[in-house]
Amino acid sequence: MEFEVSYSLDNEQQFWDELEEIVSASCKTHELIDNTLRAYLRFTTNYKEEYLQSEYAIARCSYKLLESAVFKAHQDYVRRQIIYGLLQEDTTATLHLIAAFLLFDGRQHEETFEMMNTEGGFSRLLDLVQAKQYEDTALHRMLLELLYEMSRIQRLQTEDLVLIEDDFIINLLQVIESLSDDVNDPYHYPVIRVLLVLNEQYMVSAHDPGPSQTHRPLPNKVIKVLCESGSIYKTFGENIILVLNRESETSLQLLILKLLYLLFTTTATYEYFYTNDLHVLVDVMIRNLLDLPLTSSALRHTYLRVLYPLLAHTQLRNPECHYKREELLKVLYMMTSSSGAGMMHFGGVDETTKRLVSRCVQVPWLRDAEEQQEKELQKKFLGIGINARAGESSLSVMEIASHKEKPGVQTPSLGRDEGKVAAMKDTGIVTSNIIDHGVGDGVPLGDDQDGHGLGELKSPFEVEGEA
Protein backbone atom coordinates (compact mmCIF):
# COMPACT_ATOMS: atom_id res chain seq x y z
CA MET A 1 0.00 0.00 0.00
CA GLU A 2 1.37 3.42 -0.94
CA PHE A 3 2.49 5.82 1.75
CA GLU A 4 -0.14 8.58 1.87
CA VAL A 5 -0.01 11.74 3.99
CA SER A 6 -2.03 14.93 3.64
CA TYR A 7 -0.56 18.26 4.63
CA SER A 8 -1.93 21.65 5.57
CA LEU A 9 0.75 24.30 5.64
CA ASP A 10 0.48 27.88 6.83
CA ASN A 11 3.96 29.17 5.97
CA GLU A 12 7.28 28.34 4.36
CA GLN A 13 8.95 27.23 7.59
CA GLN A 14 6.30 24.54 7.99
CA PHE A 15 7.13 23.34 4.49
CA TRP A 16 10.81 22.86 5.34
CA ASP A 17 9.97 21.26 8.67
CA GLU A 18 7.64 18.75 7.03
CA LEU A 19 10.21 18.00 4.33
CA GLU A 20 12.84 17.35 6.99
CA GLU A 21 10.47 14.93 8.70
CA ILE A 22 9.82 13.05 5.45
CA VAL A 23 13.50 12.50 4.61
CA SER A 24 14.30 11.61 8.24
CA ALA A 25 12.05 8.55 8.24
CA SER A 26 13.66 5.27 9.25
CA CYS A 27 14.02 3.06 6.15
CA LYS A 28 15.36 -0.45 6.64
CA THR A 29 13.77 -2.08 3.59
CA HIS A 30 13.47 -1.18 -0.08
CA GLU A 31 9.74 -0.83 0.34
CA LEU A 32 10.18 1.79 3.06
CA ILE A 33 12.78 3.62 0.95
CA ASP A 34 10.35 3.67 -1.97
CA ASN A 35 7.64 5.07 0.27
CA THR A 36 9.95 7.84 1.47
CA LEU A 37 11.00 8.76 -2.07
CA ARG A 38 7.40 8.85 -3.25
CA ALA A 39 6.46 11.02 -0.28
CA TYR A 40 9.40 13.35 -0.99
CA LEU A 41 8.48 13.79 -4.66
CA ARG A 42 4.76 14.08 -4.05
CA PHE A 43 5.19 16.64 -1.27
CA THR A 44 7.73 18.81 -3.13
CA THR A 45 5.71 18.62 -6.36
CA ASN A 46 2.52 19.69 -4.62
CA TYR A 47 4.17 22.75 -3.05
CA LYS A 48 6.62 23.64 -5.79
CA GLU A 49 4.60 26.58 -7.08
CA GLU A 50 4.25 27.97 -3.58
CA TYR A 51 7.64 27.38 -1.95
CA LEU A 52 10.12 26.22 -4.62
CA GLN A 53 10.17 29.05 -7.13
CA SER A 54 13.84 30.02 -6.89
CA GLU A 55 16.92 28.08 -7.95
CA TYR A 56 18.18 28.34 -4.39
CA ALA A 57 15.00 26.73 -3.04
CA ILE A 58 15.27 23.87 -5.58
CA ALA A 59 18.90 23.33 -4.59
CA ARG A 60 18.05 23.40 -0.88
CA CYS A 61 15.29 20.89 -1.46
CA SER A 62 17.69 18.55 -3.29
CA TYR A 63 20.26 18.74 -0.53
CA LYS A 64 17.66 17.80 2.06
CA LEU A 65 17.50 14.38 0.42
CA LEU A 66 21.22 14.22 -0.39
CA GLU A 67 22.12 14.80 3.25
CA SER A 68 19.45 12.51 4.67
CA ALA A 69 20.19 9.29 6.53
CA VAL A 70 18.23 7.24 3.99
CA PHE A 71 20.42 8.46 1.12
CA LYS A 72 23.68 8.07 3.00
CA ALA A 73 22.80 4.49 3.93
CA HIS A 74 21.40 3.42 0.53
CA GLN A 75 23.03 5.67 -2.07
CA ASP A 76 23.05 3.32 -5.05
CA TYR A 77 19.48 2.21 -4.52
CA VAL A 78 18.15 5.76 -4.09
CA ARG A 79 20.06 6.96 -7.16
CA ARG A 80 18.72 4.15 -9.28
CA GLN A 81 15.14 4.78 -8.17
CA ILE A 82 15.47 8.50 -8.92
CA ILE A 83 16.94 7.68 -12.35
CA TYR A 84 13.98 5.38 -13.02
CA GLY A 85 11.79 8.34 -12.14
CA LEU A 86 13.60 10.42 -14.77
CA LEU A 87 12.98 7.69 -17.36
CA GLN A 88 9.27 7.34 -16.57
CA GLU A 89 7.95 10.63 -15.17
CA ASP A 90 6.20 13.17 -17.39
CA THR A 91 4.96 15.75 -14.88
CA THR A 92 6.97 18.95 -15.34
CA ALA A 93 7.25 19.87 -11.66
CA THR A 94 8.32 16.36 -10.62
CA LEU A 95 10.84 16.15 -13.46
CA HIS A 96 12.37 19.43 -12.32
CA LEU A 97 12.94 18.06 -8.81
CA ILE A 98 14.30 14.75 -10.14
CA ALA A 99 16.70 16.49 -12.54
CA ALA A 100 17.91 18.83 -9.79
CA PHE A 101 18.66 15.94 -7.44
CA LEU A 102 20.61 14.04 -10.12
CA LEU A 103 22.52 17.16 -11.14
CA PHE A 104 23.68 18.03 -7.62
CA ASP A 105 24.41 14.42 -6.74
CA GLY A 106 26.32 13.85 -9.99
CA ARG A 107 28.49 16.91 -9.50
CA GLN A 108 29.71 15.36 -6.26
CA HIS A 109 29.66 11.71 -7.33
CA GLU A 110 30.37 10.93 -10.99
CA GLU A 111 29.00 7.41 -10.58
CA THR A 112 25.53 9.00 -10.72
CA PHE A 113 26.13 10.20 -14.30
CA GLU A 114 27.68 6.84 -15.18
CA MET A 115 24.60 5.06 -13.84
CA MET A 116 22.37 7.39 -15.85
CA ASN A 117 24.29 6.50 -18.99
CA THR A 118 24.01 2.77 -18.29
CA GLU A 119 20.26 3.02 -17.68
CA GLY A 120 19.53 4.92 -20.92
CA GLY A 121 19.52 8.42 -19.48
CA PHE A 122 21.10 10.09 -22.51
CA SER A 123 18.33 9.21 -24.96
CA ARG A 124 15.72 10.18 -22.38
CA LEU A 125 17.36 13.57 -21.85
CA LEU A 126 17.43 14.18 -25.61
CA ASP A 127 13.68 13.59 -25.71
CA LEU A 128 12.97 15.74 -22.66
CA VAL A 129 15.12 18.65 -23.83
CA GLN A 130 13.05 18.81 -27.00
CA ALA A 131 9.68 18.10 -25.37
CA LYS A 132 10.05 20.62 -22.52
CA GLN A 133 11.70 23.45 -24.48
CA TYR A 134 8.57 25.60 -24.61
CA GLU A 135 6.82 24.23 -21.54
CA ASP A 136 9.07 25.35 -18.70
CA THR A 137 12.24 27.41 -19.17
CA ALA A 138 13.68 26.59 -15.75
CA LEU A 139 13.21 22.85 -16.29
CA HIS A 140 14.66 23.08 -19.80
CA ARG A 141 17.77 24.78 -18.45
CA MET A 142 18.11 22.14 -15.73
CA LEU A 143 17.81 19.33 -18.28
CA LEU A 144 20.49 20.98 -20.44
CA GLU A 145 22.79 21.24 -17.41
CA LEU A 146 22.20 17.56 -16.64
CA LEU A 147 22.84 16.53 -20.25
CA TYR A 148 26.08 18.52 -20.31
CA GLU A 149 27.43 17.22 -16.99
CA MET A 150 26.56 13.64 -17.85
CA SER A 151 28.21 13.87 -21.27
CA ARG A 152 31.44 15.56 -20.28
CA ILE A 153 32.67 13.02 -17.71
CA GLN A 154 32.38 9.89 -19.86
CA ARG A 155 32.38 8.66 -23.43
CA LEU A 156 28.93 8.19 -24.89
CA GLN A 157 27.93 5.04 -26.72
CA THR A 158 27.77 5.16 -30.51
CA GLU A 159 24.17 3.95 -30.16
CA ASP A 160 23.40 7.15 -28.23
CA LEU A 161 25.15 9.53 -30.62
CA VAL A 162 23.20 8.21 -33.62
CA LEU A 163 20.01 9.34 -31.87
CA ILE A 164 20.97 13.01 -32.25
CA GLU A 165 19.09 14.50 -35.18
CA ASP A 166 19.94 17.67 -37.09
CA ASP A 167 16.79 19.23 -35.65
CA PHE A 168 18.10 18.81 -32.11
CA ILE A 169 21.21 20.85 -32.93
CA ILE A 170 19.18 23.39 -34.90
CA ASN A 171 16.77 23.89 -32.02
CA LEU A 172 19.64 24.65 -29.62
CA LEU A 173 21.19 27.13 -32.04
CA GLN A 174 17.79 28.78 -32.48
CA VAL A 175 17.49 29.19 -28.70
CA ILE A 176 20.77 31.14 -28.74
CA GLU A 177 19.64 33.26 -31.68
CA SER A 178 16.32 34.02 -30.00
CA LEU A 179 18.24 35.45 -27.04
CA SER A 180 20.75 37.38 -29.13
CA ASP A 181 19.41 40.74 -27.99
CA ASP A 182 20.31 39.93 -24.37
CA VAL A 183 23.80 38.45 -24.08
CA ASN A 184 23.48 38.46 -20.29
CA ASP A 185 20.59 36.01 -20.39
CA PRO A 186 21.78 32.97 -18.40
CA TYR A 187 19.96 30.69 -20.85
CA HIS A 188 22.87 31.06 -23.29
CA TYR A 189 25.35 29.23 -21.10
CA PRO A 190 23.85 25.71 -20.76
CA VAL A 191 22.86 25.64 -24.44
CA ILE A 192 26.39 26.57 -25.55
CA ARG A 193 27.95 23.96 -23.28
CA VAL A 194 25.73 21.16 -24.60
CA LEU A 195 26.74 21.97 -28.17
CA LEU A 196 30.41 22.04 -27.17
CA VAL A 197 30.33 18.70 -25.37
CA LEU A 198 28.44 16.99 -28.21
CA ASN A 199 31.09 18.24 -30.64
CA GLU A 200 33.76 16.67 -28.42
CA GLN A 201 31.87 13.37 -28.32
CA TYR A 202 31.75 13.32 -32.13
CA MET A 203 35.49 14.06 -32.32
CA VAL A 204 36.35 11.24 -29.92
CA SER A 205 34.05 8.85 -31.79
CA ALA A 206 35.66 9.74 -35.14
CA HIS A 207 39.28 9.44 -34.07
CA ASP A 208 39.05 6.66 -31.51
CA PRO A 209 36.21 4.33 -32.62
CA GLY A 210 34.86 2.08 -29.92
CA PRO A 211 34.62 -1.71 -30.29
CA SER A 212 30.93 -1.50 -31.18
CA GLN A 213 31.52 1.03 -33.99
CA THR A 214 31.92 -1.14 -37.07
CA HIS A 215 30.54 1.30 -39.65
CA ARG A 216 32.08 4.53 -40.95
CA PRO A 217 32.53 7.43 -38.49
CA LEU A 218 29.38 9.27 -37.48
CA PRO A 219 28.88 12.69 -39.07
CA ASN A 220 29.49 15.50 -36.61
CA LYS A 221 26.03 17.05 -36.45
CA VAL A 222 27.25 20.27 -34.84
CA ILE A 223 29.73 20.93 -37.65
CA LYS A 224 27.27 19.69 -40.27
CA VAL A 225 24.60 22.20 -39.26
CA LEU A 226 27.11 25.07 -39.06
CA CYS A 227 28.46 24.12 -42.50
CA GLU A 228 24.99 24.21 -43.99
CA SER A 229 23.46 27.12 -42.09
CA GLY A 230 26.21 28.88 -40.14
CA SER A 231 25.35 32.28 -41.61
CA ILE A 232 22.07 32.34 -39.67
CA TYR A 233 23.59 31.11 -36.40
CA LYS A 234 26.31 33.70 -35.85
CA THR A 235 25.41 34.40 -32.22
CA PHE A 236 26.70 30.99 -31.17
CA GLY A 237 30.10 31.87 -32.64
CA GLU A 238 30.18 35.22 -30.88
CA ASN A 239 29.33 33.61 -27.57
CA ILE A 240 31.92 30.83 -27.63
CA ILE A 241 34.59 33.52 -28.06
CA LEU A 242 33.04 35.39 -25.16
CA VAL A 243 33.12 32.27 -22.97
CA LEU A 244 36.75 31.54 -23.88
CA ASN A 245 37.58 35.14 -23.00
CA ARG A 246 36.22 34.73 -19.48
CA GLU A 247 36.55 31.02 -18.70
CA SER A 248 39.15 29.80 -16.19
CA GLU A 249 38.07 26.15 -16.10
CA THR A 250 40.48 24.12 -18.23
CA SER A 251 37.97 21.51 -19.40
CA LEU A 252 35.63 24.15 -20.84
CA GLN A 253 38.51 25.96 -22.55
CA LEU A 254 39.42 22.66 -24.20
CA LEU A 255 35.85 22.10 -25.36
CA ILE A 256 35.87 25.52 -27.04
CA LEU A 257 39.29 24.99 -28.60
CA LYS A 258 38.20 21.64 -30.04
CA LEU A 259 35.25 23.24 -31.79
CA LEU A 260 37.33 26.18 -33.01
CA TYR A 261 39.87 23.77 -34.48
CA LEU A 262 37.21 21.97 -36.52
CA LEU A 263 35.65 25.25 -37.66
CA PHE A 264 39.01 26.60 -38.81
CA THR A 265 40.00 23.38 -40.59
CA THR A 266 36.67 22.80 -42.36
CA THR A 267 36.46 24.72 -45.64
CA ALA A 268 32.77 25.54 -45.34
CA THR A 269 33.27 27.22 -41.95
CA TYR A 270 36.57 29.06 -42.54
CA GLU A 271 34.69 32.36 -42.44
CA TYR A 272 31.92 31.47 -40.01
CA PHE A 273 32.95 34.22 -37.57
CA TYR A 274 32.70 37.97 -38.02
CA THR A 275 36.12 39.55 -38.63
CA ASN A 276 35.89 41.70 -35.51
CA ASP A 277 35.15 38.60 -33.45
CA LEU A 278 38.29 36.99 -34.87
CA HIS A 279 40.22 40.05 -33.73
CA VAL A 280 38.88 39.53 -30.23
CA LEU A 281 39.83 35.86 -30.45
CA VAL A 282 43.41 36.76 -31.43
CA ASP A 283 43.63 39.06 -28.41
CA VAL A 284 42.31 36.33 -26.14
CA MET A 285 44.72 33.74 -27.50
CA ILE A 286 47.75 36.02 -27.15
CA ARG A 287 46.78 36.80 -23.58
CA ASN A 288 46.12 33.19 -22.67
CA LEU A 289 49.36 31.96 -24.23
CA LEU A 290 51.28 34.53 -22.20
CA ASP A 291 49.32 33.67 -19.09
CA LEU A 292 49.96 29.92 -19.09
CA PRO A 293 52.75 28.69 -16.81
CA LEU A 294 55.33 26.09 -17.79
CA THR A 295 53.27 23.28 -16.25
CA SER A 296 50.42 23.88 -18.73
CA SER A 297 52.32 22.70 -21.80
CA ALA A 298 49.49 20.45 -23.06
CA LEU A 299 46.98 23.32 -23.00
CA ARG A 300 49.56 25.60 -24.65
CA HIS A 301 50.00 23.03 -27.42
CA THR A 302 46.25 22.99 -28.00
CA TYR A 303 46.11 26.79 -28.27
CA LEU A 304 48.95 26.68 -30.82
CA ARG A 305 47.23 23.94 -32.83
CA VAL A 306 44.16 26.19 -33.09
CA LEU A 307 46.15 29.35 -33.73
CA TYR A 308 47.64 28.08 -36.99
CA PRO A 309 44.36 27.48 -38.90
CA LEU A 310 42.89 30.64 -37.34
CA LEU A 311 45.64 32.71 -38.96
CA ALA A 312 46.01 30.66 -42.15
CA HIS A 313 42.44 29.80 -43.14
CA THR A 314 40.03 32.48 -41.89
CA GLN A 315 39.52 35.95 -43.35
CA LEU A 316 42.51 37.06 -41.26
CA ARG A 317 44.60 35.81 -44.19
CA ASN A 318 43.27 38.67 -46.33
CA PRO A 319 45.43 41.84 -46.34
CA GLU A 320 42.61 44.08 -45.13
CA CYS A 321 41.99 41.78 -42.16
CA HIS A 322 45.56 41.26 -40.88
CA TYR A 323 45.64 41.86 -37.13
CA LYS A 324 48.30 42.08 -34.41
CA ARG A 325 51.04 40.75 -36.69
CA GLU A 326 53.91 42.16 -34.66
CA GLU A 327 52.47 41.02 -31.33
CA LEU A 328 51.85 37.52 -32.67
CA LEU A 329 55.40 37.19 -33.94
CA LYS A 330 56.88 38.42 -30.68
CA VAL A 331 54.82 35.97 -28.64
CA LEU A 332 55.64 33.04 -30.93
CA TYR A 333 59.36 33.75 -30.97
CA MET A 334 59.40 34.38 -27.26
CA MET A 335 57.78 30.99 -26.60
CA THR A 336 60.80 29.23 -28.09
CA SER A 337 63.45 31.58 -26.74
CA SER A 338 66.28 29.98 -24.80
CA SER A 339 67.25 33.16 -23.01
CA GLY A 340 65.97 36.49 -21.78
CA ALA A 341 62.29 37.15 -21.15
CA GLY A 342 61.18 33.98 -22.91
CA MET A 343 63.27 31.76 -20.68
CA MET A 344 62.05 33.54 -17.55
CA HIS A 345 58.41 33.37 -18.62
CA PHE A 346 58.11 29.91 -20.15
CA GLY A 347 61.09 28.01 -18.74
CA GLY A 348 62.51 25.17 -20.81
CA VAL A 349 61.10 24.84 -24.31
CA ASP A 350 59.82 21.40 -25.33
CA GLU A 351 60.14 20.08 -28.86
CA THR A 352 56.38 20.04 -29.49
CA THR A 353 56.14 23.75 -28.71
CA LYS A 354 59.03 24.47 -31.09
CA ARG A 355 57.36 22.46 -33.84
CA LEU A 356 53.97 24.11 -33.38
CA VAL A 357 55.47 27.60 -33.24
CA SER A 358 57.45 26.85 -36.40
CA ARG A 359 54.21 25.90 -38.11
CA CYS A 360 52.47 29.11 -37.00
CA VAL A 361 55.22 31.41 -38.26
CA GLN A 362 54.83 29.84 -41.71
CA VAL A 363 51.50 31.61 -42.18
CA PRO A 364 52.22 33.73 -45.30
CA TRP A 365 50.96 37.04 -43.95
CA LEU A 366 53.15 36.69 -40.89
CA ARG A 367 56.20 36.03 -43.08
CA ASP A 368 55.85 38.28 -46.10
CA ALA A 369 55.73 41.78 -44.66
CA GLU A 370 58.68 43.40 -42.91
CA GLU A 371 60.96 40.46 -43.72
CA GLN A 372 64.01 42.03 -42.21
CA GLN A 373 62.32 42.71 -38.88
CA GLU A 374 61.18 39.11 -38.76
CA LYS A 375 64.72 37.87 -39.34
CA GLU A 376 65.96 40.04 -36.52
CA LEU A 377 63.26 38.68 -34.21
CA GLN A 378 64.19 35.14 -35.17
CA LYS A 379 67.82 35.82 -34.46
CA LYS A 380 67.07 37.44 -31.13
CA PHE A 381 64.29 35.26 -29.78
CA LEU A 382 63.97 32.02 -31.69
CA GLY A 383 67.51 30.89 -32.32
CA ILE A 384 66.37 28.38 -34.97
CA GLY A 385 65.75 28.52 -38.67
CA ILE A 386 62.28 28.39 -40.17
CA ASN A 387 61.25 25.16 -41.82
CA ALA A 388 59.69 26.28 -45.06
CA ARG A 389 57.83 22.99 -45.36
CA ALA A 390 56.23 23.14 -41.93
CA GLY A 391 52.51 22.67 -42.30
CA GLU A 392 49.49 21.42 -40.49
CA SER A 393 50.16 18.16 -38.68
CA SER A 394 47.97 15.20 -39.48
CA LEU A 395 48.19 14.30 -35.80
CA SER A 396 46.83 17.62 -34.54
CA VAL A 397 43.18 16.68 -34.66
CA MET A 398 43.86 13.42 -32.82
CA GLU A 399 45.88 15.26 -30.18
CA ILE A 400 43.14 17.84 -29.73
CA ALA A 401 40.36 15.24 -29.59
CA SER A 402 42.15 13.21 -26.92
CA HIS A 403 43.20 16.14 -24.69
CA LYS A 404 40.89 16.24 -21.67
CA GLU A 405 40.88 17.63 -18.16
CA LYS A 406 38.75 16.80 -15.13
CA PRO A 407 35.73 19.09 -14.63
CA GLY A 408 36.34 21.90 -12.17
CA VAL A 409 40.13 22.09 -12.62
CA GLN A 410 41.12 25.74 -12.99
CA THR A 411 43.75 26.79 -15.51
CA PRO A 412 46.91 28.04 -13.75
CA SER A 413 47.58 31.72 -14.35
CA LEU A 414 50.74 33.79 -14.35
CA GLY A 415 48.56 36.90 -14.35
CA ARG A 416 48.64 36.99 -10.56
CA ASP A 417 52.44 37.18 -10.51
CA GLU A 418 53.00 40.92 -10.70
CA GLY A 419 56.73 40.55 -11.32
CA LYS A 420 56.23 38.38 -14.39
CA VAL A 421 53.45 40.57 -15.71
CA ALA A 422 55.72 43.61 -15.38
CA ALA A 423 58.51 41.75 -17.18
CA MET A 424 56.15 40.88 -20.04
CA LYS A 425 55.09 44.51 -20.36
CA ASP A 426 58.74 45.51 -20.55
CA THR A 427 59.16 43.34 -23.66
CA GLY A 428 56.39 45.25 -25.41
CA ILE A 429 54.36 42.09 -26.06
CA VAL A 430 51.55 42.79 -23.60
CA THR A 431 49.57 45.53 -25.30
CA SER A 432 46.88 47.81 -23.94
CA ASN A 433 44.21 45.66 -25.57
CA ILE A 434 45.25 42.55 -23.64
CA ILE A 435 44.58 42.52 -19.94
CA ASP A 436 45.43 40.04 -17.23
CA HIS A 437 43.23 36.96 -16.84
CA GLY A 438 43.07 37.58 -13.10
CA VAL A 439 39.49 37.63 -11.89
CA GLY A 440 38.14 36.60 -15.29
CA ASP A 441 37.16 39.96 -16.75
CA GLY A 442 39.05 39.10 -19.91
CA VAL A 443 39.64 41.18 -23.00
CA PRO A 444 37.31 44.18 -23.32
CA LEU A 445 34.64 43.26 -25.81
CA GLY A 446 33.08 45.95 -27.97
CA ASP A 447 30.50 45.93 -30.71
CA ASP A 448 31.53 44.69 -34.13
CA GLN A 449 30.90 46.44 -37.38
CA ASP A 450 27.45 44.89 -37.70
CA GLY A 451 26.37 45.83 -34.20
CA HIS A 452 26.75 42.36 -32.75
CA GLY A 453 28.03 43.10 -29.26
CA LEU A 454 29.72 40.64 -26.96
CA GLY A 455 28.94 41.26 -23.33
CA GLU A 456 29.28 39.60 -19.97
CA LEU A 457 28.16 36.00 -19.65
CA LYS A 458 27.01 34.61 -16.33
CA SER A 459 26.40 31.08 -15.19
CA PRO A 460 22.71 30.19 -15.08
CA PHE A 461 23.15 28.30 -11.85
CA GLU A 462 24.54 30.68 -9.28
CA VAL A 463 23.23 28.96 -6.15
CA GLU A 464 25.40 29.48 -3.08
CA GLY A 465 28.68 28.52 -4.66
CA GLU A 466 27.24 26.56 -7.59
CA ALA A 467 28.14 28.39 -10.78
Side-chain angles (χ1 to χ4, degrees):
M1 181 176 178
E2 244 183 49
F3 182 63
E4 295 283 354
V5 177
S6 60
Y7 298 92
S8 177
L9 305 181
D10 297 324
N11 54 60
E12 183 178 358
Q13 186 56 49
Q14 284 188 3
F15 169 82
W16 293 112
D17 290 344
E18 292 289 352
L19 183 59
E20 182 67 33
E21 185 175 338
I22 289 172
V23 300
S24 299
S26 176
C27 301
K28 296 182 179 180
T29 67
H30 286 174
E31 182 180 2
L32 291 175
I33 296 172
D34 291 345
N35 286 341
T36 295
L37 295 178
R38 280 193 290 268
Y40 168 84
L41 290 173
R42 185 181 302 109
F43 178 72
T44 52
T45 296
N46 287 343
Y47 289 97
K48 182 177 181 296
E49 289 298 316
E50 193 168 354
Y51 299 119
L52 299 175
Q53 282 296 295
S54 69
E55 292 180 343
Y56 170 76
I58 293 289
R60 182 182 177 186
C61 182
S62 299
Y63 276 97
K64 285 289 186 182
L65 181 55
L66 284 168
E67 295 171 354
S68 68
V70 61
F71 178 72
K72 291 178 179 178
H74 309 280
Q75 292 188 20
D76 283 350
Y77 183 79
V78 171
R79 285 187 184 117
R80 198 172 299 278
Q81 294 304 100
I82 296 292
I83 290 171
Y84 289 161
L86 177 72
L87 299 176
Q88 300 169 11
E89 184 61 56
D90 287 319
T91 304
T92 297
T94 307
L95 277 172
H96 197 163
L97 293 159
I98 288 173
F101 174 86
L102 293 173
L103 179 63
F104 290 119
D105 182 34
R107 283 174 171 169
Q108 299 177 75
H109 307 99
E110 290 185 356
E111 55 264 36
T112 300
F113 296 140
E114 293 167 356
M115 186 182 293
M116 287 176 59
N117 192 28
T118 302
E119 297 294 339
F122 181 81
S123 60
R124 174 61 170 163
L125 285 174
L126 288 181
D127 292 340
L128 288 174
V129 165
Q130 290 183 294
K132 302 298 181 180
Q133 179 174 347
Y134 304 106
E135 188 172 326
D136 187 291
T137 300
L139 171 60
H140 192 237
R141 260 172 41 198
M142 184 74 71
L143 293 169
L144 288 167
E145 288 281 356
L146 190 56
L147 181 61
Y148 167 72
E149 297 286 0
M150 173 189 167
S151 301
R152 75 166 174 167
I153 61 97
Q154 62 194 318
R155 179 170 179 170
L156 298 176
Q157 305 276 345
T158 302
E159 294 78 9
D160 286 330
L161 289 176
V162 299
L163 298 175
I164 303 173
E165 301 288 349
D166 289 7
D167 285 346
F168 182 82
I169 304 299
I170 290 171
N171 285 340
L172 294 182
L173 291 169
Q174 287 175 342
V175 168
I176 297 172
E177 289 300 319
S178 69
L179 300 168
S180 62
D181 291 335
D182 183 7
V183 293
N184 290 321
D185 193 305
Y187 207 174
H188 277 98
Y189 201 57
V191 179
I192 290 169
R193 297 201 302 180
V194 167
L195 289 166
L196 291 173
V197 79
L198 291 180
N199 173 71
E200 180 188 52
Q201 290 287 345
Y202 282 122
M203 289 184 74
V204 171
S205 175
H207 296 283
D208 182 22
S212 63
Q213 188 171 323
T214 57
H215 47 77
R216 62 186 179 86
L218 296 173
N220 185 328
K221 295 297 181 67
V222 178
I223 298 299
K224 178 177 181 288
V225 171
L226 291 177
C227 283
E228 296 172 350
S229 309
S231 61
I232 61 176
Y233 299 126
K234 292 281 196 177
T235 304
F236 173 63
E238 297 172 7
N239 284 345
I240 62 175
I241 294 176
L242 183 150
V243 176
L244 183 65
N245 180 50
R246 298 180 55 83
E247 189 56 53
S248 61
E249 185 180 356
T250 304
S251 64
L252 191 51
Q253 287 187 49
L254 287 170
L255 288 178
I256 296 170
L257 291 171
K258 290 174 182 182
L259 179 61
L260 290 175
Y261 181 85
L262 289 186
L263 291 173
F264 297 150
T265 56
T266 301
T267 305
T269 53
Y270 280 178
E271 300 190 5
Y272 166 64
F273 293 91
Y274 292 110
T275 301
N276 278 20
D277 293 340
L278 293 178
H279 291 173
V280 173
L281 180 57
V282 169
D283 284 340
V284 172
M285 296 191 76
I286 291 176
R287 182 204 63 202
N288 287 358
L289 283 168
L290 284 172
D291 203 31
L292 290 173
L294 178 63
T295 53
S296 298
S297 58
L299 183 56
R300 183 180 300 110
H301 296 163
T302 303
Y303 270 102
L304 288 171
R305 287 188 171 99
V306 174
L307 182 62
Y308 173 76
L310 164 63
L311 301 177
H313 297 162
T314 70
Q315 56 264 45
L316 292 181
R317 70 188 186 278
N318 300 324
E320 68 274 13
C321 300
H322 293 173
Y323 183 72
K324 294 291 178 74
R325 178 187 178 278
E326 182 178 345
E327 289 86 347
L328 284 164
L329 284 172
K330 286 182 179 179
V331 171
L332 291 169
Y333 297 148
M334 184 176 167
M335 290 178 67
T336 50
S337 172
S338 58
S339 62
M343 183 176 181
M344 180 197 70
H345 187 70
F346 292 105
V349 181
D350 61 89
E351 291 302 315
T352 301
T353 296
K354 288 184 179 181
R355 175 173 56 81
L356 294 173
V357 166
S358 181
R359 181 193 306 167
C360 288
V361 297
Q362 295 311 298
V363 174
W365 66 272
L366 288 184
R367 295 186 64 200
D368 292 344
E370 302 179 16
E371 190 88 12
Q372 186 59 42
Q373 179 187 2
E374 183 172 328
K375 289 179 180 179
E376 290 300 319
L377 285 168
Q378 292 174 28
K379 182 178 179 181
K380 180 178 179 180
F381 289 114
L382 191 54
I384 62 174
I386 289 183
N387 176 8
R389 298 183 63 185
E392 191 170 348
S393 170
S394 60
L395 295 177
S396 286
V397 67
M398 295 181 65
E399 293 287 344
I400 290 175
S402 62
H403 187 190
K404 294 182 70 70
E405 182 57 86
K406 292 182 179 179
V409 174
Q410 301 296 297
T411 302
S413 169
L414 289 177
R416 300 180 184 87
D417 189 325
E418 295 181 1
K420 290 185 177 180
V421 171
M424 291 305 98
K425 289 180 179 178
D426 289 342
T427 67
I429 297 176
V430 179
T431 69
S432 60
N433 287 343
I434 305 173
I435 67 176
D436 302 335
H437 202 30
V439 296
D441 291 333
V443 174
L445 300 178
D447 291 338
D448 66 21
Q449 58 198 11
D450 297 311
H452 294 81
L454 297 180
E456 181 183 5
L457 187 66
K458 298 180 180 178
S459 164
F461 217 78
E462 298 179 340
V463 180
E464 289 204 343
E466 291 289 345

